[in-house]
Amino acid sequence: MFGLVKEEERYTLTVHVKDRAGAPADADLVVQHLAEGVDPVPAHVGDSGTLRLRLKPGTYSLTSFLEVRGGNGADSLGLGFLAAPEIRLDRNREVTLDGRELREIRADVGRRTETRQLLMEYARSAHGSDLFGAVQVPVTYDSVFAAPTGKVTEGEFEYRTVWRLGKPMLEVRGVREAVVQPGGTPTEGRTRLPLADVGDGPFTGVAGKAVLARLGDGTDPADLAQAAQDAGAAALFVTDDRPGRLNAWWGTETGDRPLPIATLNAADAERLREAGRVDMTGTRNTPYTYDLSEGHPGGVPDRDLTYAPGRRDLAVLDTRYHAVKPVGGGEFRYSLTGTFPVGVGFRERIDLPAERTEYVSTGPGQLWHESVTAAGEALEQRSGLVAYRGGTRTGLDWFRPVWHPWLGTGLGWGQQRMGGQLRFNTPGWGDSGPDHTGFGDVWSEDGGMSQTTAVYLDGELVDEGTGSTAYVWDAPAEERTYRVVTDTALDPGRWELGVRGHAEWTFRSAATPGTAGPSCR
């Protein structure tokens, strides 16, 4: 007795993956059948560099972010984007994701910079299917690449790179790159120190000197930093035997150590060793930033992928971050387009008050969303979606008085009615800049900020509470009069600003049958 099972129509897709030297490479893939209602599936290519898939007929997209040899020497490590965005599977086919075709992606702005943040992302849509992938590139990778894909003919495809560049936090004479590490204390200005090369240790005779050490396998970075600190080292430089940038936490359980700590690759460590001394310049707050974005709609081109924006490609912002006394803060500018509607990144530390020059990519569809904080996270101000114009130079101010309630386009969620429920959000600390909506921490005891928001129905109080929000849960269906009131105050002992704010909005609203969303006027 026997049985037969007839397989539905399928074909074999054979995928080969090669590294930059042409050798077989293991890789993680995303396989997307470009059809409505079909989710992407992961697949893994093993050490053989070959994977065979049995798939239904149709059009498919393959993508992979592959770890490869970098572009900065023998111990460099890179990340490469490989894609076959349009595979018509109407018979058995073979596809090669070939690392030998990778082109290095760079940003050239005509001055020395370091990469603060780097984003690689792609979008593919066709036949009712939408696929989005992104990697916020870890510090470990010192170079990134993409391979040509050709233009798609079905649907849309785009790859893009987004950079945040700034002045290097630490420049060491004769060294290509010194990567400042978390857990140390960044140095400011120029410092000259004798060098003690201790290798794997011990840390003897290093008091008052810069130390060059090697992080061996199994050694905890924090323990190595503690040994350097206990020995009186004035600065610590660390290298290792692995490709890529060394990046780790070097601090204590409670915070940073009182010495600068940076890592070097093997080539730079040898250069420092030969110099026998350290001549370094630290810059805690960069005087300039570059927020850059370059996309390749349709496909990754077969050409040099260096992005070298000209004067007409960038907007220049003379930006001032106001504060009445020194305070720590954070800021970042998120890049969005129609194809990439979600900005990816994180706020970076900045000491306020500050002034600096900011260069921003422009072009059709390029929008930016900006977020700035002061006093840690106690106060945040957000912009709406901003489109800058290339070739222009303008001023930009953050936290410039007078702070006041402001219903800007960066609100997040705003005034809404859904049936008998009304929701109100009235952030209390916008500034005098264009469309800056401000949110304050009014719940912490040491925040020094307070806000109370209330809503009245036909003159009768129906809700009141701490913060920027208020609600009406059982509003009458007929048109009635509502009034929202918010009051804000700052503790002058914390902020040195005795500012009180008061704002009211009066409007009429009625239920709109079958409609969810704003219906207030």
Side-chain angles (χ1 to χ4, degrees):
M1 183 174 180
F2 66 94
L4 295 175
V5 176
K6 183 179 180 181
E7 182 185 42
E8 64 181 333
E9 185 182 6
R10 288 177 182 261
Y11 298 104
T12 298
L13 176 61
T14 303
V15 183
H16 305 287
V17 182
K18 299 181 181 296
D19 64 19
R20 291 187 64 204
D26 65 300
D28 292 315
L29 306 179
V30 175
V31 182
Q32 175 68 66
H33 185 188
L34 297 173
E36 189 170 3
V38 181
D39 293 328
V41 295
H44 181 72
V45 181
D47 292 340
S48 68
T50 297
L51 175 68
R52 291 175 176 84
L53 301 167
R54 291 288 288 172
L55 301 172
K56 295 178 180 180
T59 304
Y60 287 81
S61 169
L62 294 180
T63 54
S64 179
F65 288 97
L66 182 67
E67 187 173 284
V68 296
R69 172 175 48 84
N72 295 305
D75 55 352
S76 176
L77 190 65
L79 191 66
F81 176 67
L82 295 167
E86 191 167 277
I87 304 168
R88 293 188 182 90
L89 196 61
D90 52 6
R91 55 184 174 84
N92 295 338
R93 291 190 182 273
E94 292 195 22
V95 173
T96 299
L97 301 179
D98 196 340
R100 292 170 297 182
E101 297 181 357
L102 288 168
R103 312 294 200 262
E104 187 166 1
I105 303 169
R106 306 172 185 266
D108 181 2
V109 296
R111 70 199 306 182
R112 187 169 185 183
T113 60
E114 69 178 2
T115 301
R116 304 295 185 89
Q117 296 187 48
L118 179 59
L119 177 68
M120 305 171 73
E121 57 185 345
Y122 68 91
R124 179 71 171 109
S125 62
H127 309 301
S129 172
D130 289 290
L131 175 64
F132 170 82
V135 173
Q136 190 161 21
V137 180
V139 176
T140 303
Y141 300 103
D142 58 36
S143 44
V144 294
F145 306 81
T149 63
K151 292 277 189 178
V152 299
T153 60
E154 301 176 24
E156 297 179 347
F157 171 74
E158 183 173 349
Y159 167 83
R160 78 163 183 166
T161 313
V162 182
W163 296 264
R164 160 57 73 91
L165 307 178
K167 190 177 190 297
M169 290 186 66
L170 185 64
E171 296 175 273
V172 181
R173 187 172 182 179
V175 167
R176 187 186 66 84
E177 181 183 63
V179 183
V180 173
Q181 295 294 290
T185 298
T187 186
E188 184 70 30
R190 187 176 183 182
T191 305
R192 298 176 180 177
L193 295 168
L195 179 70
D197 179 10
V198 301
D200 295 324
F203 288 82
T204 56
V206 302
K209 298 179 181 180
V211 175
L212 176 61
R214 189 183 77 89
L215 183 69
D217 292 340
T219 302
D220 186 281
D223 291 342
L224 189 147
Q226 185 66 56
Q229 181 180 338
D230 291 343
L236 176 62
F237 294 88
V238 186
T239 189
D240 65 0
D241 299 326
R242 298 183 178 182
R245 297 189 183 105
L246 171 59
N247 190 62
W249 171 252
W250 303 81
T252 69
E253 293 182 355
T254 58
D256 296 336
R257 300 184 185 278
L259 75 161
I261 303 173
T263 59
L264 308 172
N265 65 21
D268 277 330
E270 183 58 31
R271 294 184 187 104
L272 193 64
R273 189 176 292 113
E274 291 176 357
R277 60 196 299 274
V278 173
D279 185 347
M280 62 184 179
T281 301
T283 305
R284 181 177 171 88
N285 293 286
T286 179
Y288 52 84
T289 59
Y290 289 82
D291 289 304
L292 307 177
S293 173
E294 185 182 42
H296 300 289
V300 179
D302 187 6
R303 60 168 173 79
D304 182 6
L305 297 181
T306 299
Y307 177 49
R311 183 177 60 85
R312 294 184 179 276
D313 299 316
L314 302 177
V316 183
L317 308 176
D318 296 312
T319 305
R320 294 185 294 176
Y321 299 87
H322 295 261
V324 294
K325 63 180 181 180
V327 64
E331 61 74 36
F332 192 63
R333 180 174 286 113
Y334 301 85
S335 173
L336 301 95
T337 69
T339 303
F340 302 100
V342 178
V344 179
F346 55 87
R347 286 190 294 265
E348 299 181 1
R349 181 199 54 78
I350 185 173
D351 295 324
L352 310 181
E355 295 185 15
R356 72 184 188 192
T357 306
E358 300 174 350
Y359 301 85
V360 183
S361 282
T362 63
Q366 176 63 65
L367 300 172
W368 298 93
H369 171 66
E370 299 157 340
S371 173
V372 183
T373 62
E377 300 289 325
L379 174 63
E380 180 193 5
Q381 291 187 348
R382 305 174 189 166
S383 73
L385 295 180
V386 184
Y388 292 106
R389 188 160 56 91
T392 62
R393 185 164 196 147
T394 57
L396 178 61
D397 289 274
W398 290 96
F399 303 127
R400 185 173 66 180
V402 171
W403 299 350
H404 59 284
W406 173 255
L407 307 183
T409 59
L411 192 59
W413 65 271
Q415 324 322 316
Q416 298 175 325
R417 177 164 189 162
M418 301 175 65
Q421 298 180 11
L422 282 76
R423 302 191 300 169
F424 304 99
N425 187 14
T426 61
W429 283 278
D431 65 13
S432 58
D435 198 18
H436 290 171
T437 303
F439 301 81
D441 178 5
V442 299
W443 295 276
S444 300
E445 292 183 2
D446 60 351
M449 313 178 81
S450 65
Q451 182 175 12
T452 301
T453 303
V455 58
Y456 297 81
L457 170 58
D458 290 337
E460 181 180 346
L461 178 67
V462 293
D463 188 38
E464 183 178 35
T466 298
S468 63
T469 58
Y471 304 88
V472 179
W473 297 111
D474 297 304
E478 65 270 16
E479 186 172 281
R480 304 284 282 273
T481 299
Y482 297 83
R483 182 165 60 99
V484 177
V485 179
T486 193
D487 289 284
T488 61
L490 294 172
D491 177 4
R494 170 76 188 276
W495 296 95
E496 296 188 6
L497 292 172
V499 174
R500 292 186 178 274
H502 176 86
E504 298 185 10
W505 296 266
T506 300
F507 55 92
R508 295 180 64 80
S509 177
T512 303
T515 301
S519 61
C520 303
R521 66 178 187 271

